[in-house]
Amino acid sequence: MAGERWVSEVNAGWGLTIKVRRQLCDIQTPFQHLEIFETVNLGRLLMLDGIVQLTSFDEFAYHEMMANVPFYACSHVPERALVIGGGDGGVLRELGRHRELKSLEICEIDASVIEASRKFLPETACGYDDPRVKIHVGDGSAFIKAHPDTYDLIIVDSTDPGGPGEPLFGEPFYRDMKAALRPGGVIATQAESYYLLPEIAARVVRFAKNIFQYSGFAQINVPTYPTGLIGCCVGSDGGDVREPREVPDPELQKVLHYYSPEIHRGAFLLPRFASQLFEGEGK
Ligand code: SAM
């Protein structure tokens, strides 16, 4: 319609189009094209290189799951967490709800994402207000190599492969993450959609399966990602990642809108074709 403005993510032959009111930020950083919009129905929208990273409308689903599935999959109470990527602060915000965590570190390659999120996405960037948070600006794949035997949780909230996120989708990175875990620690990685990018989803699940004793692909409903879902690949040597260690305390339950122990277990139950894809016998 004349006078209306829509922005589209076009990815792997699919399109997702969102009606926007105005653009708040449009910069070319050394790593990527960073745009933030105020949408008509979905609050704020963050795009990197034309790919939707989050909207205010449904970011809680992704961030609650990326933080809480590994937190409760860990067989001991975790104390030290590292987020790789995640510059918008959403995973930090969710991890910050856990008083048990003594340290919360983030390694984000692009300082502009942190700055722009602080300015335009305060609802996720409030994750940085936690005094436990320590920020490292740099490539997560190099950072992890320098920190053996350090973390109970490593959460990779990355962009898709192809840009700066490329090394985060290779087997060496998964091996380095294992070395960076303390005994019984857990990794969780953005593992794409098995509808949109099945080869990538299957590849990271294979790495996790080869490297960890326990692993799985948890699916998350996120309407503003193409195909409406995204995966979280989880791995650990500490115990079955599909079974949460404990139930969130009643205070925490009041602020969770997506995660529950039932959703934790259920997220690993996949349609037959997806299970077969991850067993290496996909259609
Ligand atoms: N939280 C979001 C969501 O809901 O999907 C989006 C992800 S977040 C904004 C992805 C971040 O990963 C980006 O800010 C990007 O700069 C960062 N990133 C990409 N490659 C990286 C790397 N090699 N090391 C560290 N951070 C990286």
Side-chain angles (χ1 to χ4, degrees):
M1 298 269 282
E4 290 184 356
R5 184 165 180 202
W6 296 74
V7 293
S8 292
E9 163 177 347
V10 177
N11 192 352
W14 289 65
L16 173 99
T17 304
I18 295 172
K19 192 173 177 184
V20 299
R21 220 184 292 282
R22 64 193 175 114
Q23 187 159 22
L24 302 169
C25 180
D26 181 9
I27 49 175
Q28 181 61 48
T29 81
F31 299 97
Q32 51 213 343
H33 182 201
L34 192 171
E35 296 173 280
I36 299 176
F37 298 90
E38 188 181 297
T39 73
V40 172
N41 296 316
L42 307 176
R44 301 261 162 114
L45 161 67
L46 169 65
M47 294 181 95
L48 293 174
D49 287 338
I51 302 289
V52 172
Q53 303 296 309
L54 66 82
T55 75
S56 318
F57 169 68
D58 54 7
E59 56 83 7
F60 69 95
Y62 177 78
H63 292 133
E64 282 188 22
M65 289 292 276
M66 289 299 287
N68 287 301
V69 170
F71 184 85
Y72 289 109
C74 192
S75 56
H76 60 273
V77 177
E79 293 185 350
R80 296 201 61 175
L82 171 69
V83 179
I84 292 180
D88 52 75
V91 175
L92 286 178
R93 179 194 66 203
E94 295 304 319
L95 287 173
R97 302 191 196 282
H98 295 287
R99 294 291 112 208
E100 301 91 325
L101 287 172
K102 298 200 168 112
S103 76
L104 271 171
E105 293 176 59
I106 180 164
C107 178
E108 162 62 58
I109 202 166
D110 194 343
S112 307
V113 177
I114 301 176
E115 282 157 29
S117 300
R118 281 185 146 148
K119 191 162 174 198
F120 297 111
L121 303 171
E123 287 167 16
T124 51
C126 62
Y128 290 103
D129 298 341
D130 192 305
R132 292 168 293 177
V133 170
K134 190 166 174 203
I135 303 172
H136 310 274
V137 174
D139 172 20
S141 64
F143 182 87
I144 204 82
K145 281 198 187 89
H147 293 83
D149 197 20
T150 305
Y151 301 105
D152 299 299
L153 305 178
I154 300 173
I155 299 171
V156 185
D157 179 15
S158 67
T159 43
D160 299 340
E166 186 67 38
L168 310 180
F169 288 82
E171 189 159 2
F173 176 64
Y174 277 71
R175 297 202 178 277
D176 293 339
M177 283 198 288
K178 175 162 167 146
L181 285 179
R182 301 209 289 191
V186 178
I187 64 137
T189 63
Q190 191 274 91
E192 305 294 355
S193 158
Y194 49 69
Y195 283 116
L196 188 74
L197 298 168
E199 299 81 11
I200 299 173
R203 194 199 323 159
V204 297
V205 167
R206 193 172 67 246
F207 298 155
K209 213 190 271 183
N210 289 346
I211 292 169
F212 294 99
Q213 206 176 336
Y214 304 93
S215 63
F217 179 100
Q219 58 184 342
I220 313 168
N221 281 135
V222 186
T224 59
Y225 289 148
T227 77
L229 73 83
I230 196 153
C232 172
C233 175
V234 190
S236 179
D237 287 336
D240 182 4
V241 295
R242 294 156 199 250
E243 189 53 41
R245 178 187 67 250
E246 58 187 338
V247 173
D249 68 48
E251 282 309 299
L252 181 53
Q253 285 185 35
K254 283 186 202 154
V255 295
L256 293 175
H257 300 294
Y258 192 104
Y259 180 87
S260 68
E262 294 76 17
I263 283 287
H264 182 130
R265 292 186 195 99
F268 290 97
L269 299 176
L270 302 177
R272 282 172 65 85
F273 79 92
S275 301
Q276 287 163 358
L277 172 75
F278 296 142
E279 294 306 318
E281 10 170 303
K283 66 179 173 108

